[in-house]
Amino acid sequence: MDDFITLTYNGKELQLPVITGSEGEKAIDISRLRAETGFITLDPGYGNTGSCLSSITFMDGEKGILRYRGIPVEQLAEHASFKETAYLLINGRLPNRDELTQFSVMLNDNSLVHTDLKAFYQNFPRGSHPMGILSSMVNAMKSFYPDLGNQEEEMTLTMTRLLAKVRTMAAMSYKISRGHEIVLPRPDLTYCENFLNMMFDTPVKPYEIKREAVNALRTFWILHADHEQNCSTSAVRVVGSARVNLYAAISSGISALWGPLHGGANQAVIEMLSKIESGSESCAQVIARAKDKNDPFRLMGFGHRVYKTYDPRAQIMKRMCDELLESMNIKDPLLDIARELEELATKDSYFIDHNLYPNVDFYSGIVLRAIGIPTNMFTVMFAIGRLPGWIAQWKESTDDPNWKISRPRQIYTGNLEYDYIPIHAR
Ligand code: SDX
């Protein structure tokens, strides 16, 4: 059955095809609209606009569903390693044992950072934000690893190299910011263990790798691994569409994620909770400010463009807070404050009417604090988790035979034509 919609305007009719996704989602294909009618569509923030067909991640915002290549994120968080999840997103299926072993070996073989790249860190002012450093370092990788071929194996190496080095670069920025010796990655440690060891091992006090911290990090990174066409992924696709190299496209994704409305919210949530803990504001005052149209303040970690119910990742993160803090015998007053805020908000008609619930960032900072991650590195942790998703989305666009450069249109609202006025006449 031909599926199409009919547009009528000024007595004319235009039939536009309807696209149906594998989960029954429907879209109107408007690629002929301007040519046939001279019209474009207008959708600030693209809330109603699909940018691509994708088989990577499925989200249902009304039902709170999130699946990577068809597998529910809850099952991956329960059973998979972060490496398996990265492989699944990038290659479209889970690896068999040999493939996983080969992937692990490639990650280990490529986890060192070129010694000349280390010099870059020395020239950032102390106190530079780690997201700005990471975005710059990833972009700089093109200069150190110029042989970006198009062959399959070369592309696999490039993607794996980026996954391997991003952890090392993030840990290096932390160590250097503290004036500590850099800790090198170890082939005998897993992806998550290696990161924690590179962050916290010191010659005077060897880092004790705790199961619960490794498991919390594994779960955190799996929950952040992809999220279809969010702001930073769209940045990777748009920048990538100009046919820049992978490092430059990923660097643009890191920059977009830095924003407090996006990945930067996890740091903003902890800053908000800490302010309440300091006594300078109460939960009730924070809720009131979030509802006040005259106040630009938003309840950080609440609300989502797609989820109009509880973000499934936030559910898992909230449960993980309890388990992790108990197993590590940690009492974090910010968790009680977060719970009080959630209690107040989810009973408040403003938040109910606006479909505002906790999103992935609301509880994630509590988990990161418990494993010792400094607050200014929270968004870097999000970026490391999201990297496989960015790579998978970029690869999907490069594999598209109809891959076009992204170039949206606009509706002009400026001056009508008028002549130049010489300076003496102005
Ligand atoms: C991430 O897209 C993704 O998938 C992102 C992400 C991923 O994994 O990649 O899930 C990660 O970015 C999660 C979101 C983290 N950001 C925050 O927690 C910041 C706080 N949240 C908001 O700024 C907001 O909810 C957004 C940015 C997340 C979504 O914004 P939208 O969809 O553009 O919604 P909007 O700004 O148009 O708001 C709609 C209404 C407005 O009220 P009205 O003018 O219609 O009366 O809801 C209100 C807003 O004022 N609103 C909030 C609010 N979020 C929306 N009011 C108070 N507090 C909030 N947090």
Side-chain angles (χ1 to χ4, degrees):
M1 183 257 281
D2 283 348
D3 213 356
F4 54 82
I5 62 126
T6 304
L7 275 185
T8 55
Y9 184 74
N10 274 356
K12 286 185 196 153
E13 277 200 356
L14 172 67
Q15 288 198 328
L16 291 170
V18 168
I19 312 277
T20 304
S22 41
E23 288 285 344
E25 299 163 297
K26 293 202 177 284
I28 304 164
D29 179 343
I30 57 167
S31 36
R32 288 188 299 116
L33 182 67
R34 192 169 189 281
E36 311 247 347
T37 68
F39 279 46
I40 63 169
T41 57
L42 188 62
D43 184 21
Y46 307 118
N48 304 282
T49 297
S51 61
C52 60
L53 300 176
S54 179
S55 58
I56 298 171
T57 291
F58 173 68
M59 291 169 63
D60 181 319
E62 282 63 40
K63 295 182 190 142
I65 291 173
L66 174 59
R67 299 189 203 121
Y68 298 158
R69 300 286 188 180
I71 302 177
V73 74
E74 292 81 359
Q75 293 182 25
L76 292 165
E78 180 77 25
H79 305 296
S81 69
F82 178 59
K83 262 183 300 208
E84 276 182 301
T85 307
Y87 189 101
L88 167 72
L89 285 166
I90 293 169
N91 298 287
R93 60 178 175 76
L94 289 166
N96 62 32
R97 198 176 295 282
D98 290 347
E99 290 163 334
L100 188 57
T101 305
Q102 193 192 357
F103 188 41
S104 298
V105 166
M106 278 188 81
L107 285 168
N108 279 330
D109 289 352
N110 289 278
S111 50
L112 285 173
V113 169
H114 194 295
T115 188
D116 294 350
L117 259 173
K118 288 178 198 163
F120 280 59
Y121 288 95
Q122 312 301 354
N123 297 307
F124 280 102
R126 280 274 183 272
S128 299
H129 196 286
M131 280 297 273
I133 295 173
L134 187 66
S135 174
S136 309
M137 300 307 287
V138 167
N139 217 341
M141 283 177 72
K142 168 70 179 149
S143 306
F144 289 84
Y145 307 101
D147 50 344
L148 281 188
N150 290 319
Q151 299 79 3
E152 195 62 29
E153 62 283 355
E154 177 58 38
M155 193 44 70
T156 303
L157 172 60
T158 305
M159 295 186 287
T160 310
R161 180 189 284 140
L162 193 43
L163 285 165
K165 294 183 193 309
V166 73
R167 266 180 312 184
T168 313
M169 291 195 286
M172 279 170 65
S173 71
Y174 174 63
K175 283 294 194 189
I176 291 169
S177 72
R178 304 199 62 196
H180 289 181
E181 277 305 302
I182 290 167
V183 174
L184 297 180
R186 286 172 29 188
D188 60 315
L189 297 179
T190 68
Y191 192 91
C192 298
E193 289 169 345
N194 240 322
F195 175 75
L196 291 171
N197 193 59
M198 287 190 279
M199 282 285 286
F200 303 121
D201 192 41
T202 68
V204 290
K205 187 171 180 269
Y207 175 67
E208 185 200 347
I209 295 174
K210 292 192 179 131
R211 282 294 102 235
E212 54 270 31
V214 174
N215 187 51
L217 182 57
R218 175 194 64 83
T219 310
F220 176 94
W221 274 342
I222 287 173
L223 293 178
H224 287 78
D226 193 55
H227 218 232
E228 55 128 286
Q229 306 312 315
N230 59 83
C231 177
S232 53
T233 299
S234 299
V236 169
R237 279 185 176 256
V238 167
V239 170
S241 74
R243 287 9 179 218
V244 292
N245 63 80
L246 175 60
Y247 303 120
I250 298 297
S251 173
S252 71
I254 296 169
S255 301
L257 189 73
W258 194 359
L261 290 190
H262 192 10
N266 57 18
Q267 177 175 343
V269 167
I270 292 298
E271 288 161 355
M272 174 181 74
L273 298 176
S274 303
K275 223 172 137 198
I276 295 170
E277 192 208 11
S278 70
S280 58
E281 261 190 322
S282 69
C283 285
Q285 285 167 323
V286 165
I287 293 289
R289 282 185 57 209
K291 293 163 61 178
D292 180 356
K293 286 298 154 213
N294 301 316
D295 188 333
F297 172 76
R298 291 283 179 90
L299 187 61
M300 301 316 277
F302 257 70
H304 201 274
R305 173 63 59 80
V306 176
Y307 291 125
K308 299 309 167 193
T309 182
Y310 217 108
D311 182 333
R313 304 167 299 175
Q315 303 267 22
I316 298 170
M317 210 67 86
K318 183 178 178 184
R319 261 199 321 274
M320 194 157 67
C321 284
D322 293 329
E323 292 154 13
L324 180 64
L325 270 59
E326 192 188 331
S327 64
M328 296 184 84
N329 201 15
I330 295 173
K331 187 93 188 80
D332 187 345
L334 300 193
L335 179 56
D336 301 331
I337 294 170
R339 279 213 195 89
E340 185 186 344
L341 271 180
E342 179 187 347
E343 180 80 17
L344 288 172
T346 45
K347 285 186 176 142
D348 185 297
S349 59
Y350 172 87
F351 292 87
I352 295 166
D353 297 347
H354 284 86
N355 292 314
L356 302 174
Y357 296 88
N359 60 50
V360 69
D361 293 310
F362 192 63
Y363 287 104
S364 59
I366 308 284
V367 171
L368 295 176
R369 274 161 59 94
I371 55 181
I373 307 293
T375 306
N376 73 344
M377 281 198 66
F378 283 7
T379 313
V380 167
M381 301 303 287
F382 191 148
I384 297 172
R386 184 52 52 86
L387 183 58
W390 286 333
I391 291 173
Q393 298 273 350
W394 176 83
K395 184 171 178 295
E396 185 175 66
S397 49
T398 63
D399 291 344
D400 177 355
N402 304 312
W403 189 24
K404 295 167 78 75
I405 187 168
S406 295
R407 204 277 185 217
R409 305 302 297 265
Q410 63 162 29
I411 292 296
Y412 175 70
T413 57
N415 293 329
L416 298 179
E417 185 180 357
Y418 72 102
D419 296 331
Y420 175 77
I421 305 162
I423 187 74
H424 61 74
R426 280 181 228 157

